[in-house]
C-alpha cells in the first residue's frame, strides 16, 4: 500500500507539473522565421515568426517572451533597442506598443492602440536616438520618450513614412515621394513646417559615422552638403545599423560598411541570409540558418564565414497555423487550415504534432515531389488501428503519412477523387473533409467535383463511390464540404460551409442513406438565414450541435430519426429578470468550432468574439474569453480540441496556438483507489490555486471533511474532476492538517476516499 500511495502521489505531481494549475494558460508558438536580430550586451533579442525570444551569450540559455508570461500582445512587427533608456521597443501588428527592460519588466503604451483615427495607423519601422524612438507610420511619425514610456508627439504628415531618424537638429523622413525634413526648433505638429530635402525615393535612413545615409533596394546615398551622392550600388533584402557597422543583406551575402570607405563583402552560398546583425561585445555576426534557427559566425583571415554557435531556437511548431486540431493517444495533431473564406488562403500545408513536451514536424514542402502546390490542408484524421498512420486533406488532394513520413498523394491520377473547376488542375482537388470509421476505412468528401461527392478508401486500399445527388449543385458537388465527424450511433455528419448552399448532412454508412438539412427553422417557426454552416459536434447526451454564422443550433438526439424533417432548436436562456423573456443561446454569434468536454460543457469558438464556455444544461455562460480579458491570443478561433485526461483545452487561433487548463476531464467508469487522487498534494503554504480531485464518475458527489468528520466543502464533479479552493463553507482558508475526500456516484453509491495534506 505504501508503494501504491507513493506512485499515485508521483502521478498527481507529474500531471500538475505538465498540465499546470487549473485556470492557467500556455502558448505554443513558432520561432522558425527570423526577421530581426538585436544584440544587446550579453543578450541577443530575436524577432521570429512574429514572436520574441532571446539568447544569453553568457549561460547559453534561451528565453521566450509572449502574452502568457511577459508581453501585452502578440504578432510583433518590429523591435528596436533604446540604449539610453535600456529598453527594447516592441511594436505589434495591431499598433500596440510594449517596452521591455533588461530585467524582463514590461511597460505597455496603449494610447496609440486605443486611439480611434481615420488615418492608416500601420507602423513601418522604428529608429531610436537618445531616449527617443521615432516610429514611422502610414500617416506620419510618432515620437516616443522611451525612458518615460509616453508618446510625446504625433506628426500627422498626411503621407506614408517608411523610416524616420533624427540627425543634427532635424528629423528626416523617407516618404514615397522622396525625403522630407523638419527642424526640431520649429512646431513640427504643423505639417507646413516640413520641407522637401530630396526627390530620391528611398526606404531607409541612417546616421552612420556622423554622416546621413539613405538607401533603397539597389542604391546607397550619402548627404554631402546640399547634395545626395550615390556611393554604392548593392541589391539587398534587408539592412540595419548594428553595433558600429551598417549591414546590407541579400540571399547569399552581406555587404558590411565598417565606414563609408571601408567595405567588407561576405559571401556564403550554402546560407540563405534573411537578416543579419553585428555584435560589438562578442565580435561576431548573428544571422539565420537555412533551417530558420539562429546562428553566430565570425570571419577568418580570408573573409570566409566561420560558424561559431548554431541551431539556437526555442522548441516549438514550425508555423503558427492551426486551423485543424485533434487530440488522440496523448498527442496533439494539427494542420494549418486556410482554404475557406473564414481563414487565410495559401497557408503552408505543414502537419505538426505535440507529445511529451516535444514538437514533431511531418515531412514538409512536398510540392516538388507531388507536382502541385502544397498548401491549405483543412482536415486530418488518425487511423484508429495505428496512431502513426495519418491522413491529411485539403485543396490539393489527400496525403498519407506513416510515422511523420510522406507515403502517398491521392489525386485524380490514382484515385476516384475529382478535379474542382474545369481546368483539371492538380492544384484544385478539394478533399476538405475526412474521417476514419471504427473499422479503419477512410471516408472522404470531394467538393466541386463532377459526379463525385463522398468516397470511401477501404482498409485493403480499394475505393468505393457513395455519390449522392443531394450533394450536388448543378453539375458539381457542393462547394465546401468539411468538418466530418462520426457520432456515437455510427452516423457520419458534415457541413457545407459555402454561401451558395449553407447546410449540413447525415450519412449512414450501414445503408448509404443520406439526410440533408438545407433550411434552418427553429422550434418557434422562425427561419434562420446563415451565410455559413461552419461545424458539427455531438455532446454527451447524443445531441448534435451545428455552428452557424448566426449562432449555434441543436438537433436533439430523440429527433434524429425524423431525418430532414427534424426541428432544429435554438436553446432559450431565460433572462431571470422578473419577466418571461428569454434569449437564444449565443444568438447572432458566428460559431466557427465546437468542442464538448468531460463535463458535457460546450466550448464555442467564434469568428471575432473569442471563446464561450456554456454549462452542461446549456443555461449558463460560465466563461467568455477574449484577447482583451484573458491570455487568449486572438478573438478569431479556428479550432478547439481537448485533452480529456487533464482538461487542457487547446485553441487554434489566427495568431497561433494556446491552451487553457479547465476544471473538467473525462469521467471514469468507477471510482476506486487506483483512479481517484488529488493534486497538488501536499498543498504547500504558497499555493493559492485550486486543489483538484480527478478520476471521478459523471456528476459524482464530493465531500471534503476533516479527520474527525467535520464537513468543510462539497459539490458535484465536472466530468471526472472536482475542484476545491482550500476554504471552508464560510470562505476561510482551512488550517493545516489531513483532509478526507469522500465520493459517491450520482445514484448514491459510495465511492472511494483519498486524502489531501495541507500545510499552512
Amino acid at each position: 500500500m505504501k508503494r501504491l500511495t507513493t506512485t499515485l502521489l508521483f502521478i498527481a505531481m507529474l500531471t500538475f507539473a505538465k498540465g499546470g494549475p487549473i485556470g492557467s494558460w500556455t502558448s505554443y508558438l513558432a520561432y522558425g522565421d527570423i526577421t530581426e536580430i538585436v544584440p544587446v550586451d550579453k543578450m541577443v533579442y530575436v524577432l521570429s515568426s512574429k514572436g520574441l525570444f532571446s539568447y544569453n551569450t553568457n549561460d547559453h540559455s534561451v528565453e521566450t517572451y509572449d502574452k502568457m508570461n511577459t508581453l501585452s500582445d502578440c504578432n510583433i512587427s518590429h523591435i528596436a533597442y533604446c540604449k539610453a533608456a535600456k529598453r527594447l521597443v516592441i511594436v505589434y501588428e495591431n499598433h500596440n506598443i510594449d517596452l521591455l527592460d533588461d530585467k524582463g519588466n514590461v511597460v505597455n503604451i496603449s494610447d496609440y492602440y486605443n486611439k480611434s483615427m481615420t488615418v492608416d495607423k500601420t507602423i513601418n519601422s522604428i529608429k531610436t536616438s537618445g531616449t527617443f524612438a521615432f516610429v514611422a507610420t502610414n500617416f506620419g511619425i510618432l515620437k516616443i520618450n522611451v525612458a518615460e514610456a509616453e508618446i510625446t508627439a504625433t506628426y500627422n504628415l498626411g503621407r506614408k513614412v517608411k523610416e524616420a531618424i533624427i540627425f543634427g537638429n532635424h528629423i528626416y523622413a523617407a516618404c514615397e515621394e522622396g525625403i522630407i525634413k523638419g527642424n526640431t526648433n520649429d512646431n513640427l505638429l504643423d505639417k507646413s513646417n516640413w520641407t522637401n530635402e530630396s526627390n530620391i525615393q528611398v526606404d531607409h535612413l541612417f546616421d552612420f559615422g556622423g554622416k546621413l545615409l539613405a538607401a533603397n533596394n539597389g542604391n546607397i546615398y550619402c548627404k554631402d552638403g546640399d547634395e545626395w551622392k550615390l556611393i554604392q550600388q548593392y541589391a539587398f533584402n534587408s539592412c540595419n545599423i548594428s553595433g558600429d557597422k551598417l549591414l546590407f543583406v541579400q540571399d547569399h551575402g552581406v555587404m558590411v560598411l565598417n565606414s563609408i570607405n571601408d567595405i567588407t563583402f561576405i559571401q556564403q552560398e550554402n546560407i540563405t541570409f534573411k537578416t543579419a546583425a553585428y555584435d560589438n561585445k562578442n565580435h561576431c555576426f548573428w544571422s539565420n540558418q537555412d533551417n530558420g534557427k539562429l546562428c553566430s559566425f565570425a570571419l577568418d583571415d580570408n573573409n570566409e564565414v566561420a560558424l561559431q554557435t548554431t541551431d539556437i531556437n526555442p522548441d516549438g511548431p514550425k508555423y503558427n497555423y492551426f486551423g485543424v486540431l485533434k487530440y488522440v493517444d496523448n498527442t496533439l495533431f494539427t494542420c494549418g487550415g486556410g482554404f475557406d473564406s473564414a481563414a487565410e488562403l495559401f497557408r503552408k500545408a505543414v502537419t505538426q504534432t505535440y507529445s511529451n513536451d516535444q514538437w514533431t514536424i511531418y515531412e514538409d514542402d512536398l510540392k516538388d515531389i507531388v507536382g502541385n502546390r502544397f498548401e491549405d490542408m483543412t482536415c486530418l484524421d488518425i487511423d484508429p488501428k495505428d496512431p502513426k498512420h495519418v491522413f491529411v486533406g485539403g485543396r490539393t488532394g489527400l496525403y498519407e503519412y506513416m510515422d511523420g513520413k510522406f507515403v502517398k498523394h491521392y489525386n485524380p491520377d490514382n484515385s476516384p477523387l475529382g478535379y474542382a473547376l474545369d481546368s483539371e488542375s492538380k492544384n484544385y482537388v478539394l478533399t476538405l473533409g475526412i474521417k476514419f470509421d471504427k473499422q479503419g476505412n477512410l471516408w472522404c468528401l470531394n467538393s466541386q467535383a463532377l459526379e463525385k461527392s463522398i468516397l470511401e478508401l477501404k482498409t485493403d486500399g480499394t475505393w468505393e463511390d457513395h455519390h449522392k445527388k443531394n450533394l450536388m449543385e448543378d453539375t458539381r458537388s457542393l462547394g465546401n464540404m468539411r468538418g466530418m465527424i462520426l457520432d456515437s450511433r455510427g452516423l457520419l455528419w458534415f457541413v457545407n460551409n459555402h454561401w451558395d448552399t449553407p447546410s449540413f448532412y447525415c450519412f449512414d454508412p450501414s445503408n448509404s442513406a443520406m439526410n440533408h438539412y438545407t433550411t434552418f427553422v427553429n422550434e418557434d417557426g422562425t427561419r434562420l438565414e446563415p451565410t455559413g454552416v461552419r461545424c458539427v459536434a455531438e455532446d454527451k447526451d447524443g445531441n448534435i450541435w451545428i455552428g452557424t454564422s448566426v449562432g449555434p443550433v441543436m438537433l436533439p438526439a430523440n429527433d434524429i430519426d425524423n431525418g430532414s424533417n427534424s426541428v432544429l432548436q435554438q436553446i432559450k436562456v431565460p433572462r431571470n429578470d422578473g419577466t418571461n423573456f428569454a434569449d437564444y443561446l449565443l444568438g447572432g454569434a458566428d460559431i466557427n468550432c465546437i468542442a464538448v468536454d468531460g463535463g458535457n460543457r460546450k466550448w464555442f469558438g467564434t469568428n471575432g468574439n473569442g471563446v464561450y464556455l456554456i454549462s452542461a444544461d446549456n443555461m449558463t455562460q460560465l466563461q467568455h474569453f477574449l484577447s482583451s480579458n484573458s491570455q487568449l491570443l486572438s478573438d478569431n478561433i479556428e479550432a478547439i480540441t481537448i485533452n480529456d485526461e487533464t482538461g487542457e483545452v487547446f485553441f487554434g487561433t489566427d495568431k497561433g496556438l494556446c491552451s487553457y487548463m479547465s476544471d473538467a476531464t473525462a469521467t471514469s467508469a468507477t471510482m476506486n483507489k487506483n483512479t481517484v487522487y488529488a493534486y497538488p498534494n501536499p498543498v504547500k503554504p504558497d499555493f493559492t490555486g485550486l486543489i483538484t480531485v480527478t478520476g471521478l464518475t459523471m456528476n459524482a458527489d464530493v465531500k471534503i471533511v476533516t479527520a474527525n468528520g467535520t464537513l468543510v466543502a462539497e459539490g458535484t464533479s465536472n466530468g471526472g474532476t472536482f475542484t476545491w479552493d482550500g476554504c471552508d463553507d464560510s470562505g476561510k482558508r482551512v488550517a493545516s492538517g489531513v483532509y478526507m475526500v469522500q465520493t459517491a456516484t450520482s445514484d448514491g453509491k459510495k465511492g472511494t476516499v483519498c486524502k489531501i495534506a495541507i500545510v499552512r
Side-chain angles (χ1 to χ4, degrees), residues 284-345:
C284 67
F285 294 88
W286 295 94
S287 188
N288 58 288
Q289 299 169 224
D290 286 348
N291 61 9
K293 298 182 180 182
L294 180 69
C295 69
S296 66
F297 65 88
L299 299 179
D300 61 21
D301 293 339
N302 297 317
N303 279 341
E304 295 293 328
V305 170
L307 288 173
Q308 295 180 328
T309 308
T310 60
D311 294 320
I312 303 168
N313 202 39
D315 181 58
K318 186 172 182 179
Y319 300 106
N320 285 322
Y321 300 144
F322 297 98
V324 180
L325 300 175
K326 289 194 176 184
Y327 201 93
V328 176
D329 194 37
N330 199 35
T331 301
L332 177 68
F333 293 82
T334 83
C335 64
F339 171 76
D340 71 8
S341 59
E344 173 191 0
L345 286 170

Side-chain angles (χ1 to χ4, degrees), residues 37-74:
I37 303 171
V38 180
V40 180
D41 296 327
K42 66 179 180 180
M43 306 297 290
V44 181
Y45 293 101
V46 183
L47 174 56
S48 183
S49 300
K50 302 180 183 180
L52 180 67
F53 75 90
S54 66
Y55 175 69
N56 188 310
T57 58
N58 285 355
D59 61 17
H60 310 294
S61 61
V62 175
E63 183 176 0
T64 59
Y65 308 83
D66 57 43
K67 193 177 178 183
M68 308 300 159
N69 57 28
T70 311
L71 305 180
S72 304
D73 223 314
C74 51

Side-chain angles (χ1 to χ4, degrees), residues 536-596:
V536 60
E538 182 186 20
D539 69 17
K540 304 298 183 186
D541 297 323
N543 304 312
I544 299 298
W545 290 81
I546 302 95
T548 80
S549 59
V550 293
V553 295
M554 187 187 76
L555 183 59
N558 58 13
D559 204 22
I560 289 175
D561 290 340
N562 292 328
S564 302
N565 296 318
S566 302
V567 176
L568 300 176
Q569 289 189 9
Q570 277 189 290
I571 303 299
K572 294 179 181 178
V573 181
R575 293 182 180 176
N576 296 322
D577 59 358
T579 70
N580 292 323
F581 295 119
D583 297 300
Y584 292 125
L585 176 66
L586 303 183
D590 190 351
I591 306 298
N592 199 41
C593 47
I594 305 170
V596 179

Side-chain angles (χ1 to χ4, degrees), residues 287-450:
S287 188
N288 58 288
Q289 299 169 224
D290 286 348
N291 61 9
K293 298 182 180 182
L294 180 69
C295 69
S296 66
F297 65 88
L299 299 179
D300 61 21
D301 293 339
N302 297 317
N303 279 341
E304 295 293 328
V305 170
L307 288 173
Q308 295 180 328
T309 308
T310 60
D311 294 320
I312 303 168
N313 202 39
D315 181 58
K318 186 172 182 179
Y319 300 106
N320 285 322
Y321 300 144
F322 297 98
V324 180
L325 300 175
K326 289 194 176 184
Y327 201 93
V328 176
D329 194 37
N330 199 35
T331 301
L332 177 68
F333 293 82
T334 83
C335 64
F339 171 76
D340 71 8
S341 59
E344 173 191 0
L345 286 170
F346 308 128
R347 288 184 177 177
K348 299 290 186 181
V350 66
T351 298
Q352 308 174 108
T353 64
Y354 181 71
S355 180
N356 297 321
D357 297 327
Q358 288 189 333
W359 284 92
T360 299
I361 312 302
Y362 279 30
E363 191 173 348
D364 192 20
D365 200 10
L366 301 175
K367 63 180 181 295
D368 292 336
I369 298 175
V370 300
N372 53 252
R373 298 174 74 164
F374 188 61
E375 297 163 333
D376 293 342
M377 294 298 124
T378 64
C379 55
L380 174 152
D381 208 18
I382 301 94
D383 190 336
K385 299 181 179 298
D386 185 354
K388 294 181 180 180
H389 189 210
V390 175
F391 277 82
V392 180
R395 183 163 58 86
T396 59
L398 182 67
Y399 297 80
E400 182 180 6
Y401 295 88
M402 177 58 76
D403 200 17
K405 301 297 183 182
F406 171 66
V407 174
K408 189 174 182 179
H409 174 219
Y410 296 86
N411 58 46
D413 289 344
N414 60 10
S415 76
L417 291 171
Y419 294 106
L421 307 178
D422 295 323
S423 63
E424 295 192 354
S425 168
K426 290 183 181 179
N427 290 321
Y428 291 98
V429 183
L430 302 183
T431 314
L432 307 178
I434 59 174
K435 182 62 187 175
F436 276 104
D437 62 24
K438 294 180 180 178
Q439 291 72 41
N441 305 304
L442 183 70
W443 295 83
C444 307
L445 299 171
N446 193 187
S447 295
Q448 300 183 32
L450 286 170

